[in-house]
């Protein structure tokens, strides 16, 4: 069986996976409410407006690392005969920690002050927000990876 990274980043699937990831991010940001939602929406809009194409490029760049980080949950689901989306959702905290480890490392090495500043302002609530997105992430993986 192919790894999650091989599956999601194959030449035949990567563009569709990146498109779906970008749509997932747009939907998650749109769903945010309250004061923190305003900050998230403003930060996201600033990044998208100042650096058009940045989100798509970042998703494409991060996809292999994200897939590798979620590989253990994917393999557990497959080995246990469980639906991938349900298993990943049931382990939202683990999934969020795995994904945030990747973004924390990438942002530390980022050249853009805007990206670093925006991420640092939002990092305090990031785990909660990533956990909220995990069900959509699980469905995306199930759609493209089995």
């Amino acid at each position: 069986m192919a790894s999650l990274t091989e599956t999601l980043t194959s030449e035949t699937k990567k563009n569709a996976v990146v498109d779906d990831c970008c749509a997932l991010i747009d939907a998650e940001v749109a769903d945010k409410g309250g004061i923190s939602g305003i900050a998230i929406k403003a930060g996201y809009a600033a990044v998208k407006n100042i650096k058009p194409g940045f989100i798509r490029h970042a998703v494409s760049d991060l996809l292999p690392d994200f897939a590798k980080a979620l590989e253990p949950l994917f393999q557990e689901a497959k080995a246990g005969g469980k639906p991938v989306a349900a298993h990943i959702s049931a382990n939202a905290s683990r999934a969020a920690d795995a994904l945030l480890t990747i973004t924390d490392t990438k942002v530390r090495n980022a050249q853009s002050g805007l990206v670093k500043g925006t991420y640092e302002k939002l990092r305090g609530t990031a785990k909660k927000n990533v956990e909220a997105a995990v069900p959509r992430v699980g469905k995306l993986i199930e759609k493209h990876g089995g």
Side-chain angles (χ1 to χ4, degrees):
M1 175 172 51
S3 73
L4 185 59
T5 304
E6 292 167 338
T7 301
L8 296 182
T9 63
S10 72
E11 286 186 34
T12 58
K13 285 193 179 183
K14 186 172 182 181
N15 282 334
V17 173
V18 170
D19 288 345
D20 284 353
C21 287
C22 290
L24 183 152
I25 295 166
D26 287 345
E28 283 296 322
V29 170
D31 286 352
K32 300 299 175 208
I35 299 294
S36 65
I38 292 170
I40 290 168
K41 288 175 183 177
Y44 187 63
V47 170
K48 282 182 83 171
N49 290 330
I50 292 172
K51 290 193 90 170
F54 177 80
I55 301 299
R56 183 173 181 75
H57 175 75
V59 167
S60 184
D61 183 49
L62 291 169
L63 183 60
D65 293 331
F66 282 169
K68 185 177 178 183
L70 295 175
E71 184 77 35
L73 289 169
F74 178 76
Q75 293 300 332
E76 288 169 15
K78 291 296 190 179
K82 301 173 190 170
V84 172
H87 184 68
I88 290 174
S89 291
N91 290 279
S93 181
R94 278 178 61 200
D97 286 338
L99 296 173
L100 289 169
T101 297
I102 303 299
T103 55
D104 288 347
T105 301
K106 292 289 186 179
V107 169
R108 263 194 306 274
N109 299 320
Q111 300 297 317
S112 170
L114 174 65
V115 171
K116 282 184 177 183
T118 301
Y119 187 83
E120 288 170 7
K121 287 177 189 169
L122 300 174
R123 181 55 176 95
T125 59
K127 184 167 181 181
K128 175 185 77 165
N129 290 314
V130 174
E131 285 176 345
V134 165
R136 283 181 172 146
V137 170
K139 288 176 186 171
L140 185 149
I141 291 171
E142 197 167 77
K143 174 182 175 182
H144 293 284

